[in-house]
Amino acid sequence: QITGGLINALIIIAVVVVMTFGLILLYKYKCYKIIGGWLILNSVVLLSFFSMIYVSQLMEMNGWCASSPTVFIGLFNFAVMGIICVHWKGTIHHATGISDHCLCPDGPHFHQTPA
């Protein structure tokens, strides 16, 4: 048992080291599109995986039923919109959803001190 656990730990450490070294090499040789694709792929996998766990627990707890295609399409839409929200390169106002004129119709007044 101890040797099996030790082997598992060494495998995980080796994967982390190899992936870190690979990302450093990609950064060194300016392969930014590959790094961006890797980040988007990881975001999709994590968002989909954890959303599926949450939805399955929610459905089981409340006794809801849904067909597999319905759940798949819903989670796919959620993952795609999540990736767009996280990785879309817009202005800070688009990223936060706040516009100066929405908060103050006569212009931006974020840094004024009261008189």
Side-chain angles (χ1 to χ4, degrees):
Q1 271 188 349
I2 292 175
T3 57
L6 194 59
I7 290 172
N8 285 339
L10 289 174
I11 289 171
I12 290 173
I13 289 171
V15 167
V16 169
V17 168
V18 168
M19 294 305 295
T20 303
F21 185 70
L23 284 172
I24 290 171
L25 283 177
L26 287 171
Y27 184 73
K28 179 181 178 184
Y29 292 111
K30 301 181 192 303
C31 300
Y32 301 127
K33 293 208 183 257
I34 296 174
I35 294 172
W38 173 253
L39 290 173
I40 289 172
L41 179 68
N42 279 330
S43 299
V44 167
V45 168
L46 290 173
L47 188 62
S48 300
F49 180 72
F50 288 116
S51 298
M52 185 61 216
I53 291 173
Y54 177 73
V55 167
S56 65
Q57 290 294 315
L58 190 66
M59 290 176 68
E60 183 179 330
M61 184 174 57
N62 292 318
W64 297 338
C65 293
S67 65
S68 295
T70 303
V71 173
F72 176 76
I73 290 170
L75 287 175
F76 177 76
N77 287 333
F78 181 73
V80 168
M81 288 309 296
I83 295 308
I84 290 171
C85 290
V86 170
H87 291 283
W88 181 52
K89 292 178 177 53
T91 64
I92 188 67
H93 297 296
H94 289 121
T96 58
I98 297 173
S99 172
D100 294 340
H101 296 287
C102 288
L103 294 176
C104 301
D106 57 338
H109 299 288
F110 289 112
H111 301 292
Q112 286 187 349
T113 55

